[in-house]
Amino acid sequence: MKIKTSFLPLSALALTLLSSGVTLAQTFTAADIIGKLDAAQKTARDLSFRLSGTGSFDGSAQKIDLSVQSIPASSVARVVFAAPDALADNIVVVDKTEVRNYLYLTNQITVTSAAKVAGQAGAVGLDFSQISNFSALLKNYDVKLVSTTGAAGNRLYGLEGASKAAGTSDGKARFFVSEAGWRPTRVQLLDSAGKVMADLNVSNYKLNSGLSAARLKMLPKDAEIIKQ
């Protein structure tokens, strides 16, 4: 499933050290960093984190705050919004076949096939069911390394992804990855002119905290179901 970057999101990330006399900054490529991210989370049974920061939508700055939980083996992910106000308490549940979007204000659940959502979102969407597999998460992007900062062992790498879709002008996604633990720390969404439209920090990053697929899929039982 893919969620439009206008909501995030996010969402949203993704590399081997050649042990020669050359420095890390000189030897690492975007592909190396994505591979390191995948390797660091290869044994993850579940994954959770928070994305929070600011975004500019409809001409005004808004607070963005959401939590993401995922079980890779089941390709299940759950996104819960705390902000902006228009999305507060909304929940999106993703699996291989469908997207269930709980709308708090109307107490409704819209159910849409994953294939249909993918078509609507286009190549700039992020597939949160693949959140622990960065190669799959970024498969629709051309990714390059655009920055390297910090000292050896604690470097921060900046990756920038542009949609592979021909003729798209939906902007780019920028991901910052910490060499310490090989995990994403920040996500930025840029418009077609390169202006930062959303700047989100990754926090509360946890692996193997005991999440269950049943818990991630749970939505209010009294909500009205609307199939799209």
Side-chain angles (χ1 to χ4, degrees):
M1 164 275 169
K2 300 178 182 178
I3 298 176
K4 292 182 180 179
T5 53
S6 58
F7 271 171
L8 302 184
L10 247 185
S11 131
L13 321 152
L15 331 213
T16 258
L17 172 61
L18 302 176
S19 52
S20 63
V22 190
T23 66
L24 268 170
Q26 292 173 312
T27 59
F28 270 27
T29 66
D32 294 330
I33 296 169
I34 292 172
K36 288 288 188 181
L37 283 163
D38 284 343
Q41 294 164 97
K42 189 175 182 179
T43 60
R45 295 183 298 276
D46 62 66
L47 168 67
S48 62
F49 59 90
R50 178 185 177 188
L51 279 173
S52 59
T54 58
S56 179
F57 303 106
D58 299 323
S60 63
Q62 298 184 44
K63 179 181 178 182
I64 299 175
D65 192 350
L66 57 100
S67 61
V68 179
Q69 298 175 316
S70 175
I71 298 180
S74 302
S75 293
V76 176
R78 179 185 181 92
V79 180
V80 180
F81 289 88
D85 290 342
L87 298 177
D89 298 315
N90 284 9
I91 302 170
V92 179
V93 174
V94 183
D95 62 26
K96 293 179 180 178
T97 60
E98 65 184 18
V99 178
R100 299 174 70 85
N101 188 2
Y102 172 66
L103 307 174
Y104 173 76
L105 290 178
T106 60
N107 196 34
Q108 295 174 323
I109 298 171
T110 61
V111 182
T112 312
S113 72
K116 183 176 181 179
V117 170
Q120 291 173 342
V124 296
L126 294 178
D127 185 350
F128 280 94
S129 68
Q130 298 292 331
I131 200 64
S132 69
N133 184 336
F134 289 90
S135 297
L137 183 71
L138 297 172
K139 65 183 178 181
N140 292 317
Y141 287 84
D142 285 319
V143 182
K144 61 182 180 180
L145 177 64
V146 295
S147 66
T148 303
T149 58
N154 196 34
R155 287 193 172 97
L156 187 67
Y157 298 97
L159 303 178
E160 188 171 277
S163 172
K164 292 180 180 179
T168 187
S169 59
D170 290 314
K172 300 176 181 180
R174 190 175 292 160
F175 306 91
F176 295 87
V177 178
S178 173
E179 181 182 20
W182 291 107
R183 66 179 187 85
T185 62
R186 187 180 177 192
V187 179
Q188 291 181 327
L189 305 177
L190 290 71
D191 66 13
S192 56
K195 180 181 178 181
V196 176
M197 302 302 294
D199 192 350
L200 308 173
N201 290 311
V202 180
S203 61
N204 298 335
Y205 196 84
K206 298 178 182 179
L207 297 175
N208 303 329
S209 57
L211 300 175
S212 69
R215 174 67 186 86
L216 265 59
K217 291 183 176 182
M218 188 178 298
L219 293 172
K221 294 182 179 180
D222 62 344
E224 178 187 5
I225 305 294
I226 301 175
K227 294 191 176 183
Q228 298 182 327

